[in-house]
């Protein structure tokens, strides 16, 4: 009985030894015991052999095109990631694009908001039912912009005339020294805005 | 090695899918071997090993870079293998027709395995025998034995991979060794 208990203890020490987790006292005890006990010696041999056999199984390698097939099966990169990466890689272009979007939307809303009649304030302009009139014989100095209305020119305008969302009528006696422009489309309006901005920008450099 | 891996992982996290191929290249043999020893056949091993890498890629944002990448990856692979073993148990009847074969059943498969070419190297036969004994271990012993003796991992790493207390890992390795001793003592 004492012998059996000792065997069990020794087997436990064998496992501790194989786990490289044995304290020196246990190792000494195990070695001493193995010298005198052929039964335990055989048992220990069998354990070590089992481990060695498992370890002897040859290293096997993944099939040749393993990496390639994994890469082909990966889900496509997420849209979110693509956007994130675009921002990280091209911060300037993303900022420019965002700026353009904001600009255009604000211009569109500017176009849509201003649907009431307005005329550049100037002397000698008479207003009648959404129509600005430059009376015969009178001279308006400077540019005129009419929004959401018409203009009738019977006198002289010393400058440009711009009509947004309206028409201009020129009487035979009427005279405009600058350009006359009618803008009725959103894109015309945009183009006009851009030209103005460009002109302003250029004038800075002049 | 861990440094290279962590650098590649941060590239993957930034969305660079190609950086992942280097990670696969580094670990493919280890992961494939783990799956092969767990499952006992090359077809399933390839299937599960690929799945492990795909899962790692999809969940890469959950990987904690302060820990070892291999531990995390082996954990995914081991869990997939254990799932596969548990799933296939009930539907592996010997007379069931094998998918994709013409009337071939597991009987013929087993028979074919038994009859090996005469000139086959004796070493190969022994290898197959050992693999069969590993495959015959209950899966809780099999996983610790494979991780310890095939992947040569420390007991601490094994306890982390399997999410088991160190004591449990030790007990299972002892039991696994005992089982192998009984089965392999005659070789």
């Amino acid at each position: 009985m004492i012998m059996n208990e000792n065997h069990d203890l020794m087997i436990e020490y064998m496992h501790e030894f194989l786990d490289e987790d044995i304290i020196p006292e246990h190792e000494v005890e195990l070695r001493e015991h193995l010298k005198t006990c052929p039964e335990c010696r055989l048992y220990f041999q069998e354990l070590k052999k089992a481990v060695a056999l498992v370890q002897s199984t040859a290293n096997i390698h993944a099939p040749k095109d393993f990496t390639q097939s994994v890469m082909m099966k990966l889900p496509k990169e997420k849209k979110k990631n693509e956007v994130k990466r675009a921002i990280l890689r091209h911060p300037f272009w993303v900022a420019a694009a965002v700026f353009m979007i904001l600009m255009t939307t604000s211009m569109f809303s500017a176009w849509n908001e201003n649907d009431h009649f307005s005329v550049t304030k100037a002397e000698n302009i008479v207003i009648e039912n959404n129509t600005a009139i430059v009376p015969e014989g009178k001279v308006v100095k400077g540019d005129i912009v009419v929004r959401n209305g018409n203009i009738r020119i019977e006198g002289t305008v010393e400058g440009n005339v711009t009509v947004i969302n309206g028409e201009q009528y020129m009487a035979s006696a009427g005279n405009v020294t600058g350009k006359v422009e009618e803008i009725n489309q959103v894109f015309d309006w945009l183009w006009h805005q851009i030209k103005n901005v460009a002109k302003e920008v250029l004038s800075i450099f002049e | 090695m861990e440094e290279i891996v962590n650098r590649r992982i941060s590239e993957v996290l930034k969305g660079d899918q190609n950086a992942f191929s280097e990670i696969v290249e580094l670990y493919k043999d280890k992961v494939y071997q783990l799956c092969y020893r767990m499952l006992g056949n090359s077809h399933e091993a390839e299937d599960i090993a690929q799945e492990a890498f795909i899962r790692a890629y999809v969940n890469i944002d959950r990987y904690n870079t302060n820990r070892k990448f291999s531990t995390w990856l082996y954990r995914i692979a081991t869990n997939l293998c254990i799932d596969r073993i548990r799933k296939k148990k009930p539907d592996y009847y010997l007379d069931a027709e094998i998918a994709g074969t013409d009337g071939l059943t597991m009987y013929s498969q087993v028979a074919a395995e038994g009859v090996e070419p005469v000139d086959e190297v004796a070493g190969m036969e022994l290898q197959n025998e050992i693999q069969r004994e590993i495959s015959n271990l209950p899966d809780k012993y099999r996983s610790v034995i494979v991780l310890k003796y095939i992947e040569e991992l420390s007991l601490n790493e094994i306890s982390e991979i399997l999410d088991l207390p160190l004591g449990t890992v030790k007990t299972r390795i002892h039991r696994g060794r005992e089982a192998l001793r009984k089965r392999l003592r005659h070789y």
Side-chain angles (χ1 to χ4, degrees), chain A residues 21 43 46 67 73 77, chain B residues 15 25 33 50 170 178 181:
Chain A
D21 193 23
Y43 197 98
E46 287 173 354
T67 305
K73 284 182 191 166
E77 285 182 42
Chain B
E25 205 49 45
Q33 166 122 308
Q50 286 189 0
K170 278 187 190 169
E178 285 296 337
R181 181 191 70 85

Side-chain angles (χ1 to χ4, degrees), chain A residues 12-85:
Chain A
E12 216 180 298
Y13 289 176
M14 288 177 204
H15 282 295
E16 287 176 2
F17 180 86
L18 292 171
D19 286 344
E20 291 162 34
D21 193 23
I22 190 168
I23 57 168
E25 293 84 62
H26 287 179
E27 191 173 341
V28 170
E29 215 179 312
L30 177 64
R31 284 183 193 285
E32 288 305 313
H33 178 80
L34 289 177
K35 276 180 198 163
T36 58
C37 175
E39 219 178 305
C40 277
R41 222 156 38 222
L42 177 66
Y43 197 98
F44 195 36
Q45 276 304 320
E46 287 173 354
L47 272 180
K48 287 200 283 192
K49 188 167 78 179
V51 167
L53 284 173
V54 169
Q55 283 175 319
S56 79
T57 49
N59 267 333
I60 48 169
H61 299 284
K64 234 205 253 157
D65 51 354
F66 185 87
T67 305
Q68 222 182 337
S69 9
V70 169
M71 294 309 288
M72 293 212 325
K73 284 182 191 166
L74 293 186
K76 290 274 169 280
E77 285 182 42
K78 286 172 196 153
K79 269 278 176 293
K80 194 183 79 189
N81 284 351
E82 276 172 30
V83 172
K84 224 194 284 172
R85 189 150 52 126

